[in-house]
Every structure is written in structure tokens, then in C-alpha cells.
């Protein structure tokens, strides 16, 4: 069997000689791989514009990294220390690092990267940084405007760029000190990379890797034809494993949740004229009842075909989440909450109070079939509660217009608690996508501020947990219930049987290539 692709794609598939055939291509591909795992960035391979936030930047190195168990391990940084007033980081940079063009990487490149990233105004937020200075070739001093422990996430995610070579066009021709360097990029089709000969870390076994940016159908057809070594599989097709492949499943915090507008509907609008508030979801009883009365396992089984786990918060399973904040499925308790709050079922079974029916849309991006399935399943599960919800697929532009007044099915999931801060800190209300419902709680704000002022990321964990649930209140479903988190998606990959990718991390939201974080350890196990 053969599949037919455009010439540029054919080049990526022709790894050995000529067109790859299902029978002999995979056995011969011992030092070269073809991956169809999506993740083509809109802004190119520039860390200053956000490349690498949701997975290792591949072409660039970071100061720190995480092992499969999410433990911190050194990368470019051989040591980091935070001053007692929590305002100054001192970082020691390894002396043997080089960029892919052979030039040395020094502390000056690190200082340059952080300084320029703060100016870039892209996906990264370094506004808390006052300055980044190289005091010598091996030492960087970063000063903050205020204590901000989540600044450490930039040590794991921000790839270091060369001060002498960074400029216009870098995103298309990146130079870095990571395990691979770019050979060619045909936008919308493929990316070819090769091993960086100057890489200071463990040398990858695979000298050349081609990333195909094909659609789901084409990628899965290529796997069936034996023309790729790995393909990401959507939940609906994750059980259809091609011959010669195995399934690798990564647990994730790639969550899907329903955000609730928290403000009352008083006819107000924001500066853009967008409506604020919702007469139904502004009632905590409604929000808590939805969290209690929805069987998340049904969502996983029906919408995700079993390829996921129930979600109760934005960071389930990570050290800063609070397992005590979760609620079990209890339909009767949910109904009782609504009864006590005065929401009474009408003749049609839908509850109402003071002439306001418990009815709202569940907005989701129309192009996302997984969110569509979740929204439709959720709508059915809300009916027994007396809630009329309608799954509504719209554009992202339309979502931006209604998200302060109507529930939206969003996806998040990060390796940093900064995301928790952005979703629930009152000051982020109405800023971008972070806190669209205008969640606000003085108690939660206090716990979040305590977390940001901690002496280390590890020391901050108890405060983050209290923000979710402190025994009295919190942003979680037992407290203010600003969201109904529903499911964490499994990341399912079909992997050629001869390819051993080792243990995978708990992966973040599905952008980039999180599975390649350990690519230096991948092995070919067949002769």
C-alpha cells in the first residue's frame, strides 16, 4: 500500500532511498524518524514568541528541565539561588555549552534572552522582571520588581537564543544549543531537523527527524502504510491501532472545563461593548450543583471513548493541586442545592427563579470535534438537574465576544502554577482568555499572593492548595466553583513497535511536542 503526498512531503517520507514502502521502510529507519504529531507553531521557532511553552523547544536549551517524574534537573544552569528578599535570582551557567553554529553560549546570551523576551510582548509575560545582567561569562543576575515565585517557570520553558545572531527571521532559521538543529521548514507541510553536533548533553540516537504537518486522516493513513514512526491519535480513533504499531498513552493536565460568568447580569458591557454577567451562573448554587451533578466518568467514556480521566481542577495530579478540593458525583445533593436556592422545576422540567430559566449555551470552537463531543455529552448530563444547556459551536472571534456573559468550554493545562494564578486571581478578570468569568475572591487572592511570595516553588505548594480549598472556601468546586473542570485528555500516540520512547511526563495542553521532551533517550530496538 502507498499513499500519495505533495513533493515536499514525499521528501520527508523518502528517508532511505526512493519512496518508502510499508514492508521495508521501517526496518531500515534506524537513525531517522518520521513523526506526524502536529504542533506546527503559528509564529515559528522563536522562544521569545512562545515556542516551547508547552513542551521542550528542541532547537534551544533551557536553564532547567524536568525528568519524567517531573523532578527538576539541571540543563544550562548548574546552580540557581534566590535572595532572602525573594527579589534576586543568581544563576550559574555551564561553561561547555555551544550553539549549533559552534559559537560558545555564555551568561550574556542568557541575560540577552530574558531581556529581549521581556520586550517582545508575545506569549511570555516577564513584566515582573526588572533586569537581567551577566556579571561574567558564567553568572547571570535577574532582579524582580516583586516576589514572584512562578518566574521560575521561565527557567524550564524559555529557550536561550544567541545574542549575536538573534534578529528578524530567527523564527524561521533558529540557532540554539538544543539536541537538534533545523534543516528545512516547509510551512503547512513538514519540518526536517538533524542532530546538533555541538550539543553538550546526551547525543540522540536519531540523526534526522522529519515532522509532518498533515491532517488526522492523512497522518493515520501514513501510519497504516508504514510511512511514519509515530502519529498522534484523536480519542475517537485511539483504539484503531495500525499493524506494526503500539499505543503509548501519556497522562496529562490537558484539561477541558466550563467557565462560568461570575458577575450578575446588570446590563453592563466592557470597553469593547461586550456583555458582562449572567443571571444564572452568577449564583454559586448553580455552579456548585453543576460540579456535583455531572458524572465526569460518563464524559470520559462517551466523549473521549475512555481516553482520559475526570478533572476536578486545573492541575490535577501536580504538586500544587489539592485533592481535597474534588467533589464526588452526587445528583441528589446537586438537586437539593438548587431546591434550597429557590430554583424550581417548571412544567417542562427546566428550573427557574424569578422568571429566569436555568438555560444557557455551552460555547466551544466549532472546529474542535473533541470539544463538540464533550459539550453535547455535558448538555445531556445537565438535563436531569433541570438545566437546559445547548452545545453551540462558534468561531474563536465569537467566543471572545460572549465569554464574559456565557459559559465556554475551554482547554488549559500547564506545568506551572502561574496558570492557576492567571485563571483565578481577581486582577486578571477580563484580560485575554485567562479569567473570562471575572472570578474574584478575597480569600483566594490572599492565598495566591502568599504562594507568589514563597521562598521556593516547593515551599509555595501549600498556599496554592489552600487557594483551591482551605477548608472554608476556595476556587474549587466546594468553594466558589468558578469553573466546572470536566476531563483531562489522554495524549495517545501510535508508535512503531521498534521505537522505545521510554517513560513520558504528565503532559501539558496540546500545543508543541511535549512527547519530545525526552527525545535524547529514544531508542530503536530492532536490528
Amino acid at each position: 500500500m502507498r499513499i500519495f503526498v505533495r513533493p515536499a512531503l514525499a521528501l520527508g517520507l523518502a528517508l532511505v532511498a526512493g519512496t518508502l514502502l510499508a514492508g521495508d521502510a521501517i526496518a531500515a529507519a534506524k537513525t531517522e524518524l518520521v513523526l506526524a504529531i502536529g504542533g506546527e507553531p503559528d509564529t515559528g521557532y522563536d522562544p521569545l514568541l512562545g515556542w516551547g511553552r508547552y513542551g521542550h523547544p528542541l532547537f534551544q536549551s533551557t536553564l532547567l528541565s524536568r525528568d519524567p517524574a517531573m523532578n527538576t534537573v539541571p540543563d544550562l544552569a548548574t546552580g540557581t539561588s534566590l535572595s532572602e528578599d525573594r527579589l534576586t535570582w543568581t544563576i550559574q551557567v555551564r561553561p561547555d555549552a555551544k550553539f549549533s553554529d559552534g559559537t560558545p553560549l555564555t551568561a550574556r546570551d542568557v541575560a540577552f534572552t530574558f531581556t529581549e523576551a521581556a520586550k517582545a510582548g508575545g506569549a511570555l509575560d516577564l513584566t515582573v522582571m526588572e533586569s537581567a545582567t551577566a556579571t561574567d561569562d558564567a553568572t547571570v543576575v535577574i532582579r524582580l520588581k516583586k516576589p514572584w515565585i512562578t518566574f521560575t517557570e521561565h527557567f524550564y520553558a524559555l529557550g536561550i537564543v544567541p545574542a549575536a545572531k538573534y534578529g528578524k527571521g530567527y523564527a524561521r532559521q533558529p540557532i540554539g544549543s538544543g539536541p537538534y538543529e533545523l534543516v528545512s521548514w516547509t510551512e503547512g507541510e513538514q519540518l526536517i531537523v538533524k542532530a546538533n553536533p555541538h550539543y553538550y548533553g546526551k547525543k540522540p540516537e536519531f540523526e534526522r527527524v522529519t515532522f509532518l504537518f498533515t491532517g488526522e486522516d492523512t497522518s493515520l493513513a501514513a501510519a497504516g502504510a508504514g510511512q511514519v514512526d509515530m502519529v498522534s491519535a484523536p480519542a475517537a480513533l485511539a483504539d484503531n491501532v495500525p499493524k506494526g504499531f503500539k499505543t503509548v498513552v501519556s497522562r496529562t493536565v490537558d484539561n477541558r472545563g466550563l467557565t462560568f460568568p461570575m458577575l450578575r447580569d446588570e446590563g453592563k458591557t466592557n470597553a469593547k461593548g461586550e456583555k458582562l454577567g449572567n443571571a444564572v451562573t452568577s449564583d454559586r448554587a448553580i455552579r456548585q450543583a453543576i460540579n456535583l451533578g455531572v458524572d465526569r466518568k460518563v464524559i470520559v467514556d462517551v466523549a473521549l471513548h475512555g481516553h482520559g480521566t475526570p478533572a476536578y481542577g486545573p492541575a490535577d495530579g501536580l504538586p500544587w493541586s489539592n485533592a481535597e478540593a474534588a467533589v464526588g458525583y452526587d445528583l441528589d445533593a446537586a438537586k437539593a442545592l438548587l431546591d434550597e436556592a429557590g430554583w424550581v422545576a417548571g412544567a417542562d422540567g427546566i428550573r427557574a427563579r424569578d422568571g429566569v430559566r436555568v438555560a444557557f449555551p455551552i460555547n466551544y470552537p466549532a472546529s474542535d470535534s473533541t470539544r463538540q463531543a464533550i459539550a453535547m455529552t455535558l448538555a445531556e448530563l445537565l438535563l436531569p438537574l433541570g438545566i437546559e444547556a445547548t452545545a453551540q459551536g462558534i468561531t474563536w472571534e465569537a467566543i471572545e465576544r460572549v465569554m464574559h456573559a456565557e459559559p465556554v468550554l475551554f482547554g488549559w493545562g500547564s506545568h506551572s502554577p502561574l496558570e492557576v494564578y492567571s485563571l483565578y486571581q481577581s486582577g486578571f478578570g477580563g484580560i485575554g482568555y485567562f479569567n473570562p468569568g471575572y472570578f474574584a475572591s478575597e480569600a483566594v487572592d490572599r492565598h495566591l499572593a502568599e504562594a507568589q511570595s514563597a521562598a521556593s516553588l516547593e515551599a509555595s505548594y501549600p498556599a496554592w492548595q489552600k487557594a483551591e480549598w482551605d477548608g472554608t472556601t476556595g476556587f474549587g468546586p466546594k468553594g466558589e466553583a468558578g469553573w466546572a473542570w470536566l476531563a483531562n485528555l489522554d495524549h495517545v500516540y501510535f508508535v512503531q513497535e521498534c521505537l522505545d520512547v521510554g517513560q513520558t511526563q504528565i503532559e501539558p495542553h496540546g500545543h508543541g511536542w511535549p512527547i519530545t521532551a525526552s527525545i535524547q533517550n529514544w531508542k530503536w530496538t530492532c536490528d
Side-chain angles (χ1 to χ4, degrees), residues 426-499:
S426 61
F428 277 81
I431 296 178
Y433 289 108
F434 284 124
N435 184 358
Y438 285 82
F439 180 93
S441 162
E442 291 184 2
V444 170
D445 279 353
R446 284 196 302 271
H447 292 312
L448 294 176
E450 179 188 356
Q452 289 287 22
S453 298
S456 68
L457 189 60
E458 291 74 16
S460 74
Y461 295 160
W464 296 110
Q465 292 164 359
K466 288 178 182 177
E468 192 167 2
W469 177 245
D470 63 8
T472 301
T473 189
F475 63 71
K478 291 180 179 177
E480 291 300 321
W483 288 66
W485 296 101
L486 302 170
N488 297 306
L489 279 59
D490 286 344
H491 287 177
V492 181
Y493 303 93
F494 296 152
V495 179
Q496 214 282 333
E497 289 177 343
C498 294
L499 179 59

Side-chain angles (χ1 to χ4, degrees), residues 8 180 204 209 215 286 316 343 354 379 409 508:
Y180 284 92
V209 182
I286 293 285
D316 292 341
W343 296 99
D354 300 331
L409 191 64

Side-chain angles (χ1 to χ4, degrees), residues 498-517:
C498 294
L499 179 59
D500 179 6
V501 300
Q503 183 182 354
T504 60
Q505 295 178 341
I506 295 178
E507 294 186 357
H509 192 47
H511 297 297
W513 305 316
I515 196 169
T516 65

Side-chain angles (χ1 to χ4, degrees), residues 28-365:
K30 293 184 179 180
T31 62
E32 303 185 9
L33 294 176
V34 180
L35 311 180
I37 55 177
E40 184 178 29
D42 294 334
T43 55
Y45 302 97
D46 185 348
L48 278 58
L49 300 179
W51 165 244
R53 275 197 311 151
Y54 290 108
H56 194 276
L58 193 70
F59 303 119
Q60 298 88 8
S61 302
T62 53
L63 294 173
L64 300 174
S65 60
R66 295 182 174 100
D67 67 15
M70 301 302 292
N71 297 312
T72 296
V73 294
D75 197 338
L76 284 173
T78 58
T80 62
S81 63
L82 180 61
S83 63
E84 190 172 341
D85 64 3
R86 322 283 202 258
L87 295 177
T88 303
W89 283 97
T90 302
I91 302 157
Q92 300 300 318
V93 179
R94 64 186 301 151
D96 59 340
K98 292 182 179 180
F99 290 108
S100 55
D101 63 357
T103 59
L105 184 156
T106 72
R108 290 173 177 80
D109 298 296
V110 176
F112 172 85
T113 298
F114 276 79
T115 300
E116 292 301 309
K119 298 177 184 176
L124 303 176
D125 182 5
L126 279 75
T127 54
V128 73
M129 190 182 80
E130 183 174 282
S131 64
T133 306
T135 58
D136 57 41
D137 283 352
T139 309
V140 180
V141 175
I142 296 177
R143 292 185 172 85
L144 308 181
K145 300 173 184 175
K146 61 182 178 179
W148 198 254
I149 199 60
T150 56
F151 188 83
T152 56
E153 182 56 26
H154 299 303
F155 300 165
Y156 299 93
L158 180 55
I160 304 304
V161 303
K165 301 290 179 67
Y166 183 81
K168 186 178 180 180
Y170 178 88
R172 290 197 57 83
Q173 295 179 317
I175 295 173
S177 58
Y180 284 92
E181 59 179 308
L182 186 145
V183 174
S184 66
W185 177 25
T186 306
E187 291 184 55
E189 295 186 5
Q190 68 177 12
L191 172 80
I192 300 176
V193 306
K194 66 178 181 179
N196 174 9
H198 301 289
Y199 182 53
Y200 53 84
K202 182 179 179 181
K203 303 297 182 185
E205 182 170 310
F206 300 97
E207 289 292 327
R208 194 176 181 95
V209 182
T210 298
F211 295 85
L212 301 183
F213 304 129
T214 49
E216 287 180 358
D217 292 344
T218 302
S219 297
L220 292 169
Q227 293 179 319
V228 297
D229 300 293
M230 180 188 295
V231 60
S232 56
L237 301 174
D239 294 323
N240 302 327
V241 186
K243 183 179 180 181
F245 284 74
K246 59 190 175 184
T247 302
V248 172
V249 179
S250 293
R251 287 183 55 209
T252 80
V253 285
D254 188 358
N255 46 49
R256 298 293 179 271
L258 191 70
T259 183
F260 297 121
M262 303 280 289
L263 302 176
R264 293 188 178 93
D265 183 1
E266 298 175 336
K268 295 180 179 179
T269 60
N270 63 12
K272 297 179 180 179
E274 297 161 347
K275 182 181 175 183
L276 301 177
N278 186 289
V280 174
T281 62
S282 56
D283 186 346
R284 182 173 59 183
I286 293 285
R287 303 192 302 268
Q288 289 181 331
I290 291 174
N291 272 281
L292 269 173
V294 168
D295 189 344
R296 292 162 171 82
K297 187 176 185 302
V298 172
I299 291 177
V300 171
D301 290 344
V302 174
L304 303 181
H305 301 267
H307 299 291
T309 55
Y312 301 95
D316 292 341
L318 295 177
W320 48 90
S321 68
N322 187 351
E324 296 299 317
V327 293
Y329 169 58
D330 192 331
L331 183 61
D332 291 338
K335 290 179 177 179
L337 269 177
L338 296 174
D339 292 340
E340 292 169 10
W343 296 99
V344 180
D348 60 356
I350 304 304
R351 295 177 182 265
R353 186 179 71 184
D354 300 331
V356 177
R357 296 176 79 245
V358 186
F360 51 77
I362 301 173
N363 295 295
Y364 66 90

